[in-house]
Amino acid sequence: MSWWLGLDLGQASDFSALARVEQVRGRCAVRHLERFPNGTPYTDVVARVRDVVAAPALAGCTLVPDATGVGRAVVDLLLQAGLAARVLPVTITAGKRVTSDGRGGANVPKKDLVAAVQAARRDPRLEVASSLPLAQVLVRELEAFTVKITDSGNETFGADKDRSHDDLVLAVSLALWAAENVKYENRSTL
């Protein structure tokens, strides 16, 4: 059994979201979903994450925050907070393969994150308890999450901004991707 926490960081019009995923024998279960109100200071998000990972049941967990854009500064706050968790920052890219970021994190193509959650749902290796208060919001986000092809032939991924957010999908996908791709011994390896 292992615990993986995905943290998607929102901006002014997006929510920040935290997802806690338990991995047991190749299956993953979303055990906690949390959205922070728009405008929540990142220092408050860090304090809440510190409280969550301090739970004895989560000993040895890995926090996977989105380090893209403003996320790099928030990752610095998380690292300074002395969390009772490994921190694996993920910078979301439009690239074709996963690479090290040279600072203990990873550069991960968004398509890989999306593929992790889509494959787990189809398989079905992913369980989302209907009793979670945000379970139906996550289901709606998953349904509204689309792949679009640009005029130049590139893929873009995300929610139809007129209808939905994708913060819970990204938080879950960060946790799932790491659970399925990162192995720990004395340090992380990709």
Side-chain angles (χ1 to χ4, degrees), residues 149-161:
I149 307 298
T150 66
D151 291 340
S152 60
N154 295 316
E155 295 174 314
T156 61
F157 305 87
D160 179 343
K161 292 296 181 187

Side-chain angles (χ1 to χ4, degrees), residues 3 18-21 29-34 48 52 132 172:
W3 289 99
L18 181 66
R20 187 173 72 217
V21 174
V30 178
R31 301 290 187 206
H32 176 85
L33 293 169
E34 183 170 347
R48 175 64 181 141
V52 168
L132 291 175
V172 169

